[in-house]
Amino acid sequence: MELNEYCQAMHYQGAETIDNGNSNPWVCYYGNGAYWTPLNLFAACDWQFSDLVRVGFNVRYVGNGRCWAINAIDYSSPSDMPLGGYCKALGYNTPALDVHNVAGWRCVGYNGVHYAIDLHAACRWLNPTLVTQGYSLVSYFNSYGDVFGIRCLAMKHS
């Protein structure tokens, strides 16, 4: 799960764990950690996989930092993620890893500016035939630090 990015999208500084006496120690914080609010892991899954939620998949937090599309019937791994081709298709140069996590991938512009890569969009670009066949494609990784293990999953409603 991309909890740091989720909290930042909700206008907090980031995510962290604290001993708050709850079964879920994750919080979104601001004020350099002086202020925090409990982090809703179910809402974080919906945010992270909003592409799937929009087309009717039931994405839920299933524990151990994982989200899953409950009503998807076809899971496949069509290919590994060739981010270089995706960046070039967008008119950028080769990709760079700014931070050593899956959200750290950037396309480098010819002006030297780094642009965040939407990994779900990269999966759709990589597999246009599956998209036209009605599949929803999303990026998948075993852990947030698995920067070279990003794959695409294709799912279709029953």
Side-chain angles (χ1 to χ4, degrees):
M1 294 177 64
E2 298 176 1
L3 298 180
N4 219 24
E5 288 75 9
Y6 169 73
C7 289
Q8 290 169 355
M10 301 297 119
H11 307 290
Y12 292 94
Q13 283 178 290
E16 66 182 3
T17 59
I18 65 169
D19 183 13
N20 59 7
N22 295 330
S23 59
N24 172 16
W26 285 100
V27 298
C28 292
Y29 70 88
Y30 60 97
N32 293 323
Y35 306 98
W36 56 268
T37 188
L39 196 158
N40 182 332
L41 297 170
F42 296 95
C45 283
D46 284 349
W47 172 83
Q48 184 172 340
F49 293 100
S50 60
D51 290 4
L52 292 178
V53 172
R54 256 193 310 280
V55 295
F57 283 97
N58 183 12
V59 177
R60 290 293 168 252
Y61 175 70
V62 293
N64 295 327
R66 295 190 186 271
C67 303
W68 205 251
I70 305 298
N71 58 346
I73 62 165
D74 184 21
Y75 288 84
S76 61
S77 179
S79 64
D80 293 329
M81 287 290 279
L83 295 177
Y86 178 67
C87 288
K88 289 190 183 295
L90 294 176
Y92 299 119
N93 209 340
T94 57
L97 188 60
D98 285 356
V99 179
H100 197 79
N101 60 47
V102 294
W105 283 108
R106 304 286 187 263
C107 290
V108 180
Y110 290 98
N111 56 2
V113 176
H114 290 204
Y115 300 92
I117 296 176
D118 179 341
L119 296 172
H120 299 322
C123 282
R124 290 189 299 273
W125 171 82
L126 180 62
N127 299 285
T129 303
L130 291 174
V131 172
T132 59
Q133 292 173 1
Y135 286 84
S136 295
L137 282 104
V138 295
S139 60
Y140 172 80
F141 41 89
N142 286 322
S143 73
Y144 199 53
D146 192 8
V147 296
F148 298 107
I150 302 167
R151 301 178 328 200
C152 296
L153 296 179
M155 295 171 281
K156 196 169 189 178
H157 285 289
S158 54

